[in-house]
Amino acid sequence: MTATPDIDDFTRPYWDAAAEGRLLLRRCRACALPHHYPREFCPHCWSEDVEWTVATGRATLHTWSVVHRNDLPPFGDRVPYVAAVVDLAEGPRMMTEVVGVPEPALRVGMPLAVAFRTGEDGVAVPVFTAAPA
């Protein structure tokens, strides 16, 4: 079993941008609201008139949990790790991982910045770390 995302024609722009160090969101042209995870329609107004847009990469920590055991590859080699939900500056919430921040320093509302981790499979995945001061 692998944690490699399914990359298809629709999601390829997202993963290609991640490989270049950019986080993409989908934005609806009808209601102007962004959303994440990438979908071919707007979850707010159901319009199919959506486009890719570059996110700022800024977020705040909404909640987190430190995972001490996970038998699924590739997570078992990374325990403990911080599984988190962040509020992106553009509005959507995103499930992710916080890296490079000691557990005692984690605080709800702390500013974060996107970073990218490239796995053995060559796929870059967005993670978050403490925002520079």
PDB file of all heavy atoms in Angstrom, residues 78-106:
ATOM      1  N   ARG A  78       7.731   8.155   9.892  1.00  0.00           N
ATOM      2  CA  ARG A  78       7.762   9.569  10.287  1.00  0.00           C
ATOM      3  C   ARG A  78       7.191   9.829  11.670  1.00  0.00           C
ATOM      4  O   ARG A  78       7.166  10.982  12.106  1.00  0.00           O
ATOM      5  CB  ARG A  78       6.991  10.402   9.268  1.00  0.00           C
ATOM      6  CG  ARG A  78       7.687  10.472   7.923  1.00  0.00           C
ATOM      7  CD  ARG A  78       7.279  11.683   7.130  1.00  0.00           C
ATOM      8  NE  ARG A  78       5.876  11.789   6.844  1.00  0.00           N
ATOM      9  CZ  ARG A  78       5.314  11.480   5.682  1.00  0.00           C
ATOM     10  NH1 ARG A  78       6.044  11.020   4.704  1.00  0.00           N
ATOM     11  NH2 ARG A  78       4.026  11.633   5.499  1.00  0.00           N
ATOM     12  N   VAL A  79       6.684   8.822  12.349  1.00  0.00           N
ATOM     13  CA  VAL A  79       6.079   9.073  13.658  1.00  0.00           C
ATOM     14  C   VAL A  79       7.157   9.504  14.650  1.00  0.00           C
ATOM     15  O   VAL A  79       8.293   9.050  14.540  1.00  0.00           O
ATOM     16  CB  VAL A  79       5.299   7.844  14.181  1.00  0.00           C
ATOM     17  CG1 VAL A  79       4.072   7.576  13.361  1.00  0.00           C
ATOM     18  CG2 VAL A  79       6.170   6.630  14.300  1.00  0.00           C
ATOM     19  N   PRO A  80       6.831  10.379  15.595  1.00  0.00           N
ATOM     20  CA  PRO A  80       5.563  11.112  15.665  1.00  0.00           C
ATOM     21  C   PRO A  80       5.534  12.259  14.653  1.00  0.00           C
ATOM     22  O   PRO A  80       6.565  12.817  14.315  1.00  0.00           O
ATOM     23  CB  PRO A  80       5.547  11.652  17.089  1.00  0.00           C
ATOM     24  CG  PRO A  80       6.991  11.828  17.431  1.00  0.00           C
ATOM     25  CD  PRO A  80       7.728  10.732  16.692  1.00  0.00           C
ATOM     26  N   TYR A  81       4.332  12.574  14.189  1.00  0.00           N
ATOM     27  CA  TYR A  81       4.145  13.714  13.295  1.00  0.00           C
ATOM     28  C   TYR A  81       2.880  14.448  13.695  1.00  0.00           C
ATOM     29  O   TYR A  81       2.040  13.913  14.423  1.00  0.00           O
ATOM     30  CB  TYR A  81       4.121  13.314  11.819  1.00  0.00           C
ATOM     31  CG  TYR A  81       2.997  12.390  11.420  1.00  0.00           C
ATOM     32  CD1 TYR A  81       1.767  12.897  11.003  1.00  0.00           C
ATOM     33  CD2 TYR A  81       3.159  11.008  11.445  1.00  0.00           C
ATOM     34  CE1 TYR A  81       0.736  12.054  10.629  1.00  0.00           C
ATOM     35  CE2 TYR A  81       2.134  10.161  11.066  1.00  0.00           C
ATOM     36  CZ  TYR A  81       0.925  10.685  10.662  1.00  0.00           C
ATOM     37  OH  TYR A  81      -0.099   9.845  10.299  1.00  0.00           O
ATOM     38  N   VAL A  82       2.750  15.681  13.226  1.00  0.00           N
ATOM     39  CA  VAL A  82       1.621  16.530  13.594  1.00  0.00           C
ATOM     40  C   VAL A  82       0.639  16.586  12.430  1.00  0.00           C
ATOM     41  O   VAL A  82       0.890  17.248  11.419  1.00  0.00           O
ATOM     42  CB  VAL A  82       2.093  17.949  13.977  1.00  0.00           C
ATOM     43  CG1 VAL A  82       0.888  18.839  14.303  1.00  0.00           C
ATOM     44  CG2 VAL A  82       3.052  17.899  15.159  1.00  0.00           C
ATOM     45  N   ALA A  83      -0.472  15.871  12.555  1.00  0.00           N
ATOM     46  CA  ALA A  83      -1.575  15.973  11.600  1.00  0.00           C
ATOM     47  C   ALA A  83      -2.379  17.206  11.998  1.00  0.00           C
ATOM     48  O   ALA A  83      -2.637  17.424  13.184  1.00  0.00           O
ATOM     49  CB  ALA A  83      -2.445  14.723  11.660  1.00  0.00           C
ATOM     50  N   ALA A  84      -2.736  18.021  11.008  1.00  0.00           N
ATOM     51  CA  ALA A  84      -3.352  19.304  11.339  1.00  0.00           C
ATOM     52  C   ALA A  84      -4.420  19.696  10.338  1.00  0.00           C
ATOM     53  O   ALA A  84      -4.470  19.196   9.214  1.00  0.00           O
ATOM     54  CB  ALA A  84      -2.278  20.393  11.386  1.00  0.00           C
ATOM     55  N   VAL A  85      -5.258  20.622  10.779  1.00  0.00           N
ATOM     56  CA  VAL A  85      -6.194  21.328   9.919  1.00  0.00           C
ATOM     57  C   VAL A  85      -5.806  22.795  10.020  1.00  0.00           C
ATOM     58  O   VAL A  85      -5.659  23.337  11.123  1.00  0.00           O
ATOM     59  CB  VAL A  85      -7.659  21.123  10.351  1.00  0.00           C
ATOM     60  CG1 VAL A  85      -8.599  21.957   9.499  1.00  0.00           C
ATOM     61  CG2 VAL A  85      -8.029  19.649  10.289  1.00  0.00           C
ATOM     62  N   VAL A  86      -5.594  23.421   8.861  1.00  0.00           N
ATOM     63  CA  VAL A  86      -5.217  24.836   8.834  1.00  0.00           C
ATOM     64  C   VAL A  86      -6.280  25.627   8.083  1.00  0.00           C
ATOM     65  O   VAL A  86      -6.958  25.101   7.204  1.00  0.00           O
ATOM     66  CB  VAL A  86      -3.828  25.050   8.188  1.00  0.00           C
ATOM     67  CG1 VAL A  86      -2.757  24.292   8.961  1.00  0.00           C
ATOM     68  CG2 VAL A  86      -3.813  24.663   6.721  1.00  0.00           C
ATOM     69  N   ASP A  87      -6.409  26.887   8.466  1.00  0.00           N
ATOM     70  CA  ASP A  87      -7.277  27.820   7.749  1.00  0.00           C
ATOM     71  C   ASP A  87      -6.388  28.619   6.803  1.00  0.00           C
ATOM     72  O   ASP A  87      -5.529  29.392   7.253  1.00  0.00           O
ATOM     73  CB  ASP A  87      -7.980  28.771   8.720  1.00  0.00           C
ATOM     74  CG  ASP A  87      -9.001  28.059   9.583  1.00  0.00           C
ATOM     75  OD1 ASP A  87      -9.661  27.131   9.086  1.00  0.00           O
ATOM     76  OD2 ASP A  87      -9.142  28.436  10.767  1.00  0.00           O
ATOM     77  N   LEU A  88      -6.568  28.403   5.511  1.00  0.00           N
ATOM     78  CA  LEU A  88      -5.781  29.134   4.518  1.00  0.00           C
ATOM     79  C   LEU A  88      -6.199  30.601   4.526  1.00  0.00           C
ATOM     80  O   LEU A  88      -7.359  30.930   4.797  1.00  0.00           O
ATOM     81  CB  LEU A  88      -5.987  28.533   3.131  1.00  0.00           C
ATOM     82  CG  LEU A  88      -5.552  27.075   2.979  1.00  0.00           C
ATOM     83  CD1 LEU A  88      -5.943  26.538   1.601  1.00  0.00           C
ATOM     84  CD2 LEU A  88      -4.052  26.924   3.219  1.00  0.00           C
ATOM     85  N   ALA A  89      -5.270  31.493   4.218  1.00  0.00           N
ATOM     86  CA  ALA A  89      -5.562  32.927   4.206  1.00  0.00           C
ATOM     87  C   ALA A  89      -6.722  33.252   3.275  1.00  0.00           C
ATOM     88  O   ALA A  89      -7.479  34.186   3.521  1.00  0.00           O
ATOM     89  CB  ALA A  89      -4.310  33.712   3.791  1.00  0.00           C
ATOM     90  N   GLU A  90      -6.891  32.442   2.225  1.00  0.00           N
ATOM     91  CA  GLU A  90      -7.971  32.671   1.255  1.00  0.00           C
ATOM     92  C   GLU A  90      -9.332  32.203   1.759  1.00  0.00           C
ATOM     93  O   GLU A  90     -10.347  32.481   1.121  1.00  0.00           O
ATOM     94  CB  GLU A  90      -7.643  31.957  -0.056  1.00  0.00           C
ATOM     95  CG  GLU A  90      -6.459  32.544  -0.788  1.00  0.00           C
ATOM     96  CD  GLU A  90      -5.091  32.146  -0.202  1.00  0.00           C
ATOM     97  OE1 GLU A  90      -5.022  31.251   0.678  1.00  0.00           O
ATOM     98  OE2 GLU A  90      -4.092  32.730  -0.621  1.00  0.00           O
ATOM     99  N   GLY A  91      -9.357  31.451   2.879  1.00  0.00           N
ATOM    100  CA  GLY A  91     -10.626  31.018   3.450  1.00  0.00           C
ATOM    101  C   GLY A  91     -10.811  29.525   3.638  1.00  0.00           C
ATOM    102  O   GLY A  91     -11.315  29.105   4.674  1.00  0.00           O
ATOM    103  N   PRO A  92     -10.471  28.692   2.661  1.00  0.00           N
ATOM    104  CA  PRO A  92     -10.717  27.260   2.838  1.00  0.00           C
ATOM    105  C   PRO A  92      -9.877  26.638   3.960  1.00  0.00           C
ATOM    106  O   PRO A  92      -8.807  27.147   4.302  1.00  0.00           O
ATOM    107  CB  PRO A  92     -10.310  26.655   1.493  1.00  0.00           C
ATOM    108  CG  PRO A  92     -10.374  27.773   0.518  1.00  0.00           C
ATOM    109  CD  PRO A  92     -10.007  28.999   1.304  1.00  0.00           C
ATOM    110  N   ARG A  93     -10.385  25.562   4.501  1.00  0.00           N
ATOM    111  CA  ARG A  93      -9.639  24.739   5.455  1.00  0.00           C
ATOM    112  C   ARG A  93      -8.962  23.618   4.693  1.00  0.00           C
ATOM    113  O   ARG A  93      -9.486  23.122   3.700  1.00  0.00           O
ATOM    114  CB  ARG A  93     -10.560  24.133   6.505  1.00  0.00           C
ATOM    115  CG  ARG A  93     -10.913  25.111   7.559  1.00  0.00           C
ATOM    116  CD  ARG A  93     -11.387  24.459   8.825  1.00  0.00           C
ATOM    117  NE  ARG A  93     -11.484  25.516   9.809  1.00  0.00           N
ATOM    118  CZ  ARG A  93     -12.474  25.659  10.653  1.00  0.00           C
ATOM    119  NH1 ARG A  93     -13.442  24.775  10.678  1.00  0.00           N
ATOM    120  NH2 ARG A  93     -12.487  26.657  11.497  1.00  0.00           N
ATOM    121  N   MET A  94      -7.813  23.193   5.219  1.00  0.00           N
ATOM    122  CA  MET A  94      -7.037  22.162   4.546  1.00  0.00           C
ATOM    123  C   MET A  94      -6.452  21.206   5.580  1.00  0.00           C
ATOM    124  O   MET A  94      -5.883  21.651   6.575  1.00  0.00           O
ATOM    125  CB  MET A  94      -5.910  22.836   3.756  1.00  0.00           C
ATOM    126  CG  MET A  94      -4.996  21.908   3.035  1.00  0.00           C
ATOM    127  SD  MET A  94      -3.760  22.898   2.149  1.00  0.00           S
ATOM    128  CE  MET A  94      -2.847  21.587   1.387  1.00  0.00           C
ATOM    129  N   MET A  95      -6.593  19.920   5.318  1.00  0.00           N
ATOM    130  CA  MET A  95      -5.909  18.919   6.136  1.00  0.00           C
ATOM    131  C   MET A  95      -4.475  18.827   5.651  1.00  0.00           C
ATOM    132  O   MET A  95      -4.222  18.840   4.442  1.00  0.00           O
ATOM    133  CB  MET A  95      -6.595  17.558   6.015  1.00  0.00           C
ATOM    134  CG  MET A  95      -7.960  17.534   6.640  1.00  0.00           C
ATOM    135  SD  MET A  95      -8.717  15.903   6.575  1.00  0.00           S
ATOM    136  CE  MET A  95      -7.639  14.996   7.654  1.00  0.00           C
ATOM    137  N   THR A  96      -3.528  18.740   6.588  1.00  0.00           N
ATOM    138  CA  THR A  96      -2.124  18.783   6.223  1.00  0.00           C
ATOM    139  C   THR A  96      -1.279  18.242   7.359  1.00  0.00           C
ATOM    140  O   THR A  96      -1.781  17.577   8.264  1.00  0.00           O
ATOM    141  CB  THR A  96      -1.722  20.244   5.860  1.00  0.00           C
ATOM    142  OG1 THR A  96      -0.392  20.260   5.355  1.00  0.00           O
ATOM    143  CG2 THR A  96      -1.853  21.180   7.036  1.00  0.00           C
ATOM    144  N   GLU A  97      -0.026  18.557   7.319  1.00  0.00           N
ATOM    145  CA  GLU A  97       0.911  18.208   8.384  1.00  0.00           C
ATOM    146  C   GLU A  97       1.700  19.463   8.727  1.00  0.00           C
ATOM    147  O   GLU A  97       2.036  20.252   7.853  1.00  0.00           O
ATOM    148  CB  GLU A  97       1.852  17.106   7.899  1.00  0.00           C
ATOM    149  CG  GLU A  97       2.808  16.609   8.935  1.00  0.00           C
ATOM    150  CD  GLU A  97       3.699  15.487   8.432  1.00  0.00           C
ATOM    151  OE1 GLU A  97       3.393  14.877   7.387  1.00  0.00           O
ATOM    152  OE2 GLU A  97       4.723  15.234   9.077  1.00  0.00           O
ATOM    153  N   VAL A  98       1.970  19.656  10.023  1.00  0.00           N
ATOM    154  CA  VAL A  98       2.840  20.749  10.457  1.00  0.00           C
ATOM    155  C   VAL A  98       4.207  20.148  10.719  1.00  0.00           C
ATOM    156  O   VAL A  98       4.324  19.140  11.425  1.00  0.00           O
ATOM    157  CB  VAL A  98       2.291  21.451  11.715  1.00  0.00           C
ATOM    158  CG1 VAL A  98       3.282  22.483  12.235  1.00  0.00           C
ATOM    159  CG2 VAL A  98       0.953  22.116  11.412  1.00  0.00           C
ATOM    160  N   VAL A  99       5.229  20.753  10.138  1.00  0.00           N
ATOM    161  CA  VAL A  99       6.599  20.247  10.270  1.00  0.00           C
ATOM    162  C   VAL A  99       7.495  21.332  10.856  1.00  0.00           C
ATOM    163  O   VAL A  99       7.231  22.522  10.705  1.00  0.00           O
ATOM    164  CB  VAL A  99       7.160  19.766   8.914  1.00  0.00           C
ATOM    165  CG1 VAL A  99       6.333  18.622   8.349  1.00  0.00           C
ATOM    166  CG2 VAL A  99       7.240  20.902   7.909  1.00  0.00           C
ATOM    167  N   GLY A 100       8.529  20.892  11.545  1.00  0.00           N
ATOM    168  CA  GLY A 100       9.536  21.818  12.045  1.00  0.00           C
ATOM    169  C   GLY A 100       9.103  22.683  13.205  1.00  0.00           C
ATOM    170  O   GLY A 100       9.769  23.676  13.514  1.00  0.00           O
ATOM    171  N   VAL A 101       8.000  22.344  13.857  1.00  0.00           N
ATOM    172  CA  VAL A 101       7.522  23.107  15.010  1.00  0.00           C
ATOM    173  C   VAL A 101       7.415  22.137  16.184  1.00  0.00           C
ATOM    174  O   VAL A 101       6.659  21.158  16.103  1.00  0.00           O
ATOM    175  CB  VAL A 101       6.146  23.763  14.746  1.00  0.00           C
ATOM    176  CG1 VAL A 101       5.682  24.549  15.965  1.00  0.00           C
ATOM    177  CG2 VAL A 101       6.189  24.640  13.513  1.00  0.00           C
ATOM    178  N   PRO A 102       8.153  22.382  17.290  1.00  0.00           N
ATOM    179  CA  PRO A 102       8.044  21.492  18.446  1.00  0.00           C
ATOM    180  C   PRO A 102       6.616  21.491  18.993  1.00  0.00           C
ATOM    181  O   PRO A 102       5.951  22.529  19.014  1.00  0.00           O
ATOM    182  CB  PRO A 102       9.011  22.082  19.467  1.00  0.00           C
ATOM    183  CG  PRO A 102       9.853  23.062  18.716  1.00  0.00           C
ATOM    184  CD  PRO A 102       9.086  23.470  17.498  1.00  0.00           C
ATOM    185  N   GLU A 103       6.155  20.333  19.422  1.00  0.00           N
ATOM    186  CA  GLU A 103       4.778  20.201  19.915  1.00  0.00           C
ATOM    187  C   GLU A 103       4.398  21.265  20.946  1.00  0.00           C
ATOM    188  O   GLU A 103       3.313  21.847  20.854  1.00  0.00           O
ATOM    189  CB  GLU A 103       4.546  18.793  20.468  1.00  0.00           C
ATOM    190  CG  GLU A 103       3.143  18.575  20.955  1.00  0.00           C
ATOM    191  CD  GLU A 103       2.925  17.184  21.538  1.00  0.00           C
ATOM    192  OE1 GLU A 103       3.816  16.324  21.439  1.00  0.00           O
ATOM    193  OE2 GLU A 103       1.830  16.959  22.087  1.00  0.00           O
ATOM    194  N   PRO A 104       5.250  21.571  21.927  1.00  0.00           N
ATOM    195  CA  PRO A 104       4.844  22.586  22.921  1.00  0.00           C
ATOM    196  C   PRO A 104       4.639  23.979  22.338  1.00  0.00           C
ATOM    197  O   PRO A 104       3.991  24.823  22.945  1.00  0.00           O
ATOM    198  CB  PRO A 104       6.008  22.599  23.923  1.00  0.00           C
ATOM    199  CG  PRO A 104       6.712  21.297  23.727  1.00  0.00           C
ATOM    200  CD  PRO A 104       6.521  20.936  22.285  1.00  0.00           C
ATOM    201  N   ALA A 105       5.188  24.238  21.152  1.00  0.00           N
ATOM    202  CA  ALA A 105       5.052  25.562  20.538  1.00  0.00           C
ATOM    203  C   ALA A 105       3.768  25.708  19.723  1.00  0.00           C
ATOM    204  O   ALA A 105       3.414  26.810  19.311  1.00  0.00           O
ATOM    205  CB  ALA A 105       6.260  25.842  19.648  1.00  0.00           C
ATOM    206  N   LEU A 106       3.050  24.623  19.477  1.00  0.00           N
ATOM    207  CA  LEU A 106       1.822  24.680  18.678  1.00  0.00           C
ATOM    208  C   LEU A 106       0.724  25.421  19.437  1.00  0.00           C
ATOM    209  O   LEU A 106       0.508  25.165  20.618  1.00  0.00           O
ATOM    210  CB  LEU A 106       1.350  23.268  18.326  1.00  0.00           C
ATOM    211  CG  LEU A 106       2.289  22.459  17.444  1.00  0.00           C
ATOM    212  CD1 LEU A 106       1.823  21.011  17.375  1.00  0.00           C
ATOM    213  CD2 LEU A 106       2.393  23.069  16.058  1.00  0.00           C
TER     214      LEU A 106
END
